[in-house]
Amino acid sequence: MTDQYDVIVLGAGPAGYVAAIRCAQLGLKTACVEKWLNKSEKPALGGTCLNVGCIPSKALLEATELYHEAKHGFEELGITCSDIKLDVPKMIARKDKIVAELTGGIEALFKANGIDWLVGAGTVLADKNVRVTAHDGSASNHTAKNIIIATGSVPIELPITPLHSDIVVDSAGALDWEAVPGKVCVIGAGIIGLELGSVWRRLGSEVVLLEAMDSFLPMVDAQIAKDAMRTFTKQGLDIQLSARVTGSTVNGKKVTVSYQNSDGEQSMEVDKLIVAVGRRAFVHDVLTDDAGVGLDERGLIHVNNSCETNVPGIYAIGDVVRGPMLAHKGSEEGVMVAEIIAGETSSVNYDVMPNVIYTHPEVAWVGKTEEQLKAEGVDYQAGTFPFAASGRAKAKGDTGGMVKVLRDKKTDRMLGAHVIGPSASELLGQSVLAMEFDATIEDIAHTIHAHPTLSEAMHEAALSADGRAIHIANRKPR
Ligand code: FAD
Ligand code: NAD
């Protein structure tokens, strides 16, 4: 059977499902091919993000933070909790319920928008034909005027530490343990390592992160990264830099991890090992040679600024193309491509891309770091404000961290904003908007912020950029 569509999207992660919905909104006859099978072996939409990524990890981060607070933070607020019990299977079941509700929600949105979900694995053939191979092995062919490839990414596996049942796992496996392991080792102190390491640390595991590089979070502003390292270490995350893992051996229910650091060969025995060394674009069996779509030197699908591949009418978005592997980046590319296909003008502003690490405190940033500005020779000025001086942070009993804004000395434009502290992810929003609107620091200084809110810290940081902060002693008052 051959169906003709205006658009066929391959993959229904946050890049693909958003692209499909926007295409349908614009009146394009749209199909989306998705092969994902959930824990119950049922087809599911939502991709990595909804099934084993952003959402389940945040469900566990929220629950474990509350557990940790109840155990260790409530006393100071005058609340005595005795007999706090932990029910890990219930926590995992709640996470699975949230995932099921959200992935079911995407299915409902597909129906409401008239999008055909072609269940199975899609392969792009010549002349914009797509073969869909269903889970029972049967195949069907479909053609489209346009194709959007959004097949995402998968965890990088280390051949020296092969995955082994629930003992040596990738990020997805570390979301499903139903008992708290005694000792966990994480390979990679990147975003996944820190988020999932925090989950199990808060529940009581001893957590060691082995990081091959000699620097911690090199993409984060150095002052913020230093603060983060100090805070996470205080929380009991044992972050070891310059520690390159060389292998692992499973012995019964334990695993021995060997690694090299400046003192030479080391090894440790742990209950669980999480491999969190990055993700790679997923293009396996997605493209045939006849499709003619080119890859770049890193194995990502090569695209231009409009996410169009070298084949006109074939686009690629999300983790399968260059740029940060973030859900919102893929979604914005999905909207852009749908609008371009519908004949509209559309673009993505890659310079204003929010980033968040959902630890506690959260780390969030947008734009340039001080190190990048120095390297580029930009004449900038930094303004900072510590949460220790925020009335709201004090009331919350959560005073760690700071806000930092960076302004161009000549134009007063905001060049970057960096937050480590309570609700940093939500606080960052106003800086993202400010940068998108090309606002000056003076615009933020002029904006009235409700009192008492955490957002006042952003206001004060903007004021402090030229010595006008009210609630800290300024170096050079204007
Ligand atoms: P994916 O979400 O990977 O979706 C691709 C889809 O394509 C999959 O469903 C796959 O089954 C399907 N597919 C592949 N090949 C085919 C084929 N041939 N035919 C049909 N379907 C196919 N990002 C954030 O922004 N914020 C976060 O908090 C965050 N947390 C994360 C936590 C974890 C533990 C992980 C692993 C990732 C996290 N990410 C987060 C990253 C985020 O999940 C990805 O950037 C995002 O999912 C990429 O979206 P995508 O649509 O490009 O790809
Ligand atoms: P990452 O790139 O953030 O971190 C991987 C780390 O592993 C790096 O620091 C790397 O130096 C280290 N490493 C690599 N090989 C090693 C080895 N042999 N021994 C020790 N260390 C080694 O990747 P990740 O944490 O796996 O996350 C993958 C992607 O998912 C990221 O690009 C991220 O953008 C995305 N993600 C985003 C969020 C979020 O937005 N909050 C959350 C999770 C994941």
Side-chain angles (χ1 to χ4, degrees):
M1 187 190 99
T2 301
D3 279 334
Q4 167 79 44
Y5 288 98
D6 292 320
V7 184
I8 295 179
V9 184
L10 271 73
Y17 84 71
V18 169
I21 290 173
R22 188 72 189 118
C23 284
Q25 285 175 345
L26 292 163
L28 300 164
K29 186 171 189 259
T30 306
C32 185
V33 191
E34 175 54 68
K35 63 176 183 151
W36 193 284
L37 294 177
N38 64 17
K39 271 166 82 174
S40 322
E41 295 288 297
K42 298 225 170 70
L45 299 170
T48 303
C49 175
L50 269 66
N51 288 284
V52 293
C54 325
I55 299 301
S57 60
K58 268 79 245 178
L60 292 183
L61 280 159
E62 292 290 344
T64 56
E65 192 181 329
L66 287 174
Y67 170 72
H68 189 264
E69 271 303 291
K71 261 195 116 172
H72 304 285
F74 280 9
E75 194 79 41
E76 200 188 317
L77 307 182
I79 306 166
T80 306
C81 295
S82 55
D83 205 21
I84 297 168
K85 289 206 177 77
L86 181 62
D87 185 340
V88 183
K90 195 166 178 181
M91 210 177 255
I92 302 291
R94 171 186 175 268
K95 178 260 300 177
D96 290 342
K97 186 164 172 271
I98 292 167
V99 168
E101 282 167 5
L102 289 176
T103 54
I106 306 296
E107 203 174 331
L109 286 171
F110 270 22
K111 281 197 186 114
N113 283 284
I115 298 163
D116 289 343
W117 175 9
L118 309 174
V119 181
T123 305
V124 183
L125 313 171
D127 304 324
K128 300 203 194 98
N129 282 292
V130 173
R131 184 178 61 233
V132 178
T133 308
H135 294 294
D136 63 7
S138 61
S140 57
N141 283 327
H142 310 263
T143 66
K145 292 181 194 140
N146 301 276
I147 291 174
I148 305 175
I149 302 168
T151 49
S153 63
V154 289
I156 295 175
E157 288 186 24
L158 289 180
I160 50 168
T161 59
L163 302 187
H164 183 95
S165 68
D166 69 342
I167 297 178
V168 183
V169 297
D170 59 16
S171 54
L175 295 168
D176 276 334
W177 294 325
E178 299 224 331
V180 181
K183 185 166 182 177
V184 178
C185 174
V186 189
I187 312 180
I191 306 186
I192 291 181
L194 290 168
E195 290 187 356
L196 296 185
S198 294
V199 163
W200 294 105
R201 176 70 201 132
R202 290 168 190 171
L203 294 180
S205 298
E206 193 184 330
V207 177
V208 184
L209 294 103
L210 299 177
E211 169 55 56
M213 284 189 300
D214 60 1
S215 59
F216 179 61
L217 296 177
M219 67 291 201
V220 173
D221 185 276
Q223 188 180 7
I224 304 283
K226 197 170 158 202
D227 198 347
M229 180 68 160
R230 194 181 45 78
T231 310
F232 298 152
T233 304
K234 221 166 130 195
Q235 292 170 359
L237 289 178
D238 178 1
I239 304 168
Q240 302 190 16
L241 302 179
S242 302
R244 180 169 288 279
V245 172
T246 50
S248 68
T249 318
V250 176
N251 342 290
K253 290 192 172 213
K254 302 257 181 196
V255 51
T256 302
V257 187
S258 41
Y259 60 102
Q260 259 175 354
N261 63 16
S262 53
D263 296 329
E265 278 293 335
Q266 312 289 334
S267 73
M268 77 173 115
E269 192 179 68
V270 295
D271 299 287
K272 306 280 183 192
L273 175 61
I274 307 174
V275 183
V277 295
R279 297 179 61 83
R280 63 177 169 81
F282 185 79
V283 288
H284 181 69
D285 282 349
V286 173
L287 300 165
T288 56
D289 287 347
D290 291 347
V293 173
L295 304 183
D296 67 17
E297 63 286 349
R298 291 185 301 151
L300 300 157
I301 295 182
H302 185 70
V303 289
N304 63 16
N305 279 348
S306 304
C307 285
E308 195 165 21
T309 67
N310 57 310
V311 180
I314 301 188
Y315 299 81
I317 57 175
D319 280 8
V320 82
V321 301
R322 82 284 178 265
M325 289 183 164
L326 296 172
H328 42 277
K329 175 260 190 188
S331 297
E332 286 309 309
E333 288 177 338
V335 169
M336 170 181 74
V337 165
E339 292 176 351
I340 289 172
I341 290 172
E344 297 184 0
T345 304
S346 197
S347 61
V348 171
N349 184 358
Y350 290 98
D351 291 337
V352 185
M353 188 66 67
N355 293 270
V356 181
I357 307 175
Y358 294 85
T359 41
H360 188 90
E362 291 180 344
V363 179
W365 71 98
V366 61
K368 301 279 168 93
T369 62
E370 272 204 80
E371 293 67 43
Q372 285 169 328
L373 294 177
K374 276 184 196 141
E376 290 169 17
V378 178
D379 195 10
Y380 73 93
Q381 198 162 28
T384 57
F385 190 79
F387 283 107
S390 151
R392 186 61 187 273
K394 272 209 180 300
K396 283 171 74 68
D398 201 351
T399 51
M402 63 186 285
V403 175
K404 177 194 244 187
V405 297
L406 300 169
R407 71 182 267 266
D408 188 313
K409 266 193 186 169
K410 284 193 207 83
T411 64
D412 196 37
R413 294 272 181 275
M414 190 189 242
L415 301 172
H418 305 269
V419 188
I420 177 167
S423 304
S425 54
E426 303 295 344
L427 274 185
L428 190 76
Q430 68 163 306
S431 305
V432 179
L433 194 67
M435 286 185 69
E436 182 64 34
F437 278 46
D438 218 6
T440 59
I441 292 290
E442 188 61 27
D443 290 325
I444 296 170
H446 258 320
T447 304
I448 301 172
H449 291 69
H451 177 74
T453 58
L454 295 171
S455 68
E456 286 172 300
M458 186 66 76
H459 187 222
E460 290 268 15
L463 288 169
S464 103
D466 64 357
R468 288 185 286 156
I470 302 297
H471 294 95
I472 46 166
N474 294 283
R475 271 163 296 167
K476 283 183 274 166
R478 200 180 69 168

